[in-house]
């Protein structure tokens, strides 16, 4: 790979989310991909399979896989999906200690091999895992972020689009807060091509859709039984990687480290940010009403209770 002057994205964890993300990167011809996993053979086999699919897909992406972190060298972006997923009846928080150990160890290895990279964490419980990665990497906060809001809004937008009968792409939406039950929907900032969503969906129905989006991950876990969602999570992580790689300056809800924004300090929470070549280039503060502020406080407390368990 060293001979190629192309962007490179590494994906840690070659399971459902990681392998799907690697495949999407190849389909989009976005960057060369290195797929890393602790399970001997799996990342190598999947990377080879993706490489072979490129002949059919007219993609020039080179993909390699393995257990050796040397493969991560020269990556601009590293997507961290290593960890265990949920089983039915489990919350994201049940994964806390196991995934914290995994994320800490993989991040330390990534930071050694790709010290200038930007980290996009996907492992759950997301906001707490971002804090683990920030500490383990020693990277500045702009270069360590989490994927949650893009997925949560994708779910919300998909359900709204189905309800109204329009393209999900045409729905603009914003959510704040932690990934999961305490996320803070912002119907005031939801529109169909700029037209307030209230003109298409009544309040009762909108609330039902918000609730379904909040439980969107659990709904899928309930069907899959042995794993959690991966197509939409992978798509969301790759959209963020693309925005960074191409310096697109996209405004997206991202789990970012707050230092006073929205009234919180020293914690990761989902907030609107500008994504560009430097990573989280700016946190965009929006006005919140009292109800939204109370929901965000609730979300903050939920995330804080997890990071306290981890001693962060
Ligand atoms: N180093 C590298 N890879 C690891 C490590 C480690 N220390 N520990 C586990 N893994 C790998 C597993 O071998 C597995 O291939 O992480 C992969 C996880 O894949 P899946 O079990 O398929 O889980 P997935 O659905 O991809 O979810 C991964 O993302 O959305 C979150 O909640 C989800 O935390 C979970 C993560």
């Amino acid at each position: 790979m060293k001979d190629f002057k192309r962007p490179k994205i590494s994906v840690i964890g070659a399971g459902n989310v990681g392998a799907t993300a690697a495949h999407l990167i190849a389909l989009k011809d976005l960057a060369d991909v290195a797929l890393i996993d602790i399970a001997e053979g799996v990342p190598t086999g999947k990377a080879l399979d993706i490489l072979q699919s490129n002949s059919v897909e007219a993609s020039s992406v080179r993909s390699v896989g393995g257990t050796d972190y040397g493969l991560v060298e020269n990556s601009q972006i590293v997507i961290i999906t290593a960890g265990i997923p949920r089983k039915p009846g489990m919350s994201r928080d049940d994964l806390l200690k196991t995934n914290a150990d995994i994320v800490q160890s993989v991040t330390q290895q990534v930071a050694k091999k790709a010290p200038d990279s930007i980290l996009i964490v996907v492992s759950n419980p997301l906001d707490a895992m971002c804090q683990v990665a920030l500490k383990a990497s020693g990277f500045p906060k702009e270069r360590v972020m989490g994927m949650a809001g893009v997925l949560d809004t994708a779910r919300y937008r998909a359900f709204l689009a189905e309800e109204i009968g329009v393209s999900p792409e045409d729905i603009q939406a914003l959510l704040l807060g932690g990934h999961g039950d305490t996320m803070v929907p912002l119907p005031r900032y939801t529109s169909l091509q700029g037209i307030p969503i209230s003109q298409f969906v009544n309040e009762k129905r909108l609330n039902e859709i918000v609730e379904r989006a909040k439980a969107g991950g659990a709904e899928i876990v309930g069907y899959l039984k042995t794993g959690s969602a991966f197509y939409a999570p992978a798509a969301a992580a790759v959209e963020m990687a693309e925005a960074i790689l191409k310096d697109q300056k996209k405004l997206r809800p991202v789990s970012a480290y707050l230092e006073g924004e929205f009234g919180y300090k020293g914690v990761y929470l989902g907030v609107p940010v500008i994504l560009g070549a430097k990573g989280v280039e700016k946190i965009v503060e929006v006005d919140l009403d009292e109800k939204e502020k109370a929901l965000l406080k609730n979300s903050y407390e939920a995330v804080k209770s997890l990071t306290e368990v981890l001693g962060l």
Side-chain angles (χ1 to χ4, degrees), residues 13-17 37-38 81-85 95 99 102 106 122-124:
N16 280 337
V17 178
D37 201 288
I38 200 168
T81 77
I84 53 164
L95 308 173
N99 282 358
I102 294 173
V106 306
V122 179
S123 311
N124 275 310

Side-chain angles (χ1 to χ4, degrees), residues 11-20 36-40 42-43 46 66-67 69 80-86 92 95 98-99 101-103 105-106 109 121-126 129 147 151 155 179 221 224 226-230 233-234:
V11 182
I12 316 298
N16 280 337
V17 178
T20 307
I36 311 287
D37 201 288
I38 200 168
E40 193 85 42
V42 173
K46 289 189 179 179
T67 54
Y69 278 79
I80 297 178
T81 77
I84 53 164
R86 285 194 280 173
R92 292 185 181 90
L95 308 173
T98 307
N99 282 358
D101 288 346
I102 294 173
V103 169
S105 125
V106 306
Q109 297 182 77
V121 179
V122 179
S123 311
N124 275 310
L126 195 268
M129 291 308 107
M147 185 293 296
L151 169 62
R155 289 179 168 147
H179 186 31
V221 171
L224 298 184
T226 55
S228 52
F230 53 99

Side-chain angles (χ1 to χ4, degrees), residues 32-55:
D32 286 345
V33 186
L35 196 53
I36 311 287
D37 201 288
I38 200 168
E40 193 85 42
V42 173
T44 317
K46 289 189 179 179
L48 193 57
D49 197 4
I50 290 170
L51 183 77
Q52 292 163 6
S53 77
N54 291 341
S55 318

Side-chain angles (χ1 to χ4, degrees), residues 47-99:
L48 193 57
D49 197 4
I50 290 170
L51 183 77
Q52 292 163 6
S53 77
N54 291 341
S55 318
V56 184
E57 301 292 351
S59 165
S60 57
V61 160
R62 301 196 70 242
S63 60
V64 293
T67 54
D68 179 359
Y69 278 79
L71 295 174
V72 169
E73 275 176 13
N74 301 317
S75 300
Q76 281 81 16
I77 297 175
V78 180
I79 301 175
I80 297 178
T81 77
I84 53 164
R86 285 194 280 173
K87 297 193 173 64
M90 280 173 94
S91 77
R92 292 185 181 90
D93 300 351
D94 293 333
L95 308 173
L96 185 66
K97 289 207 168 139
T98 307
N99 282 358

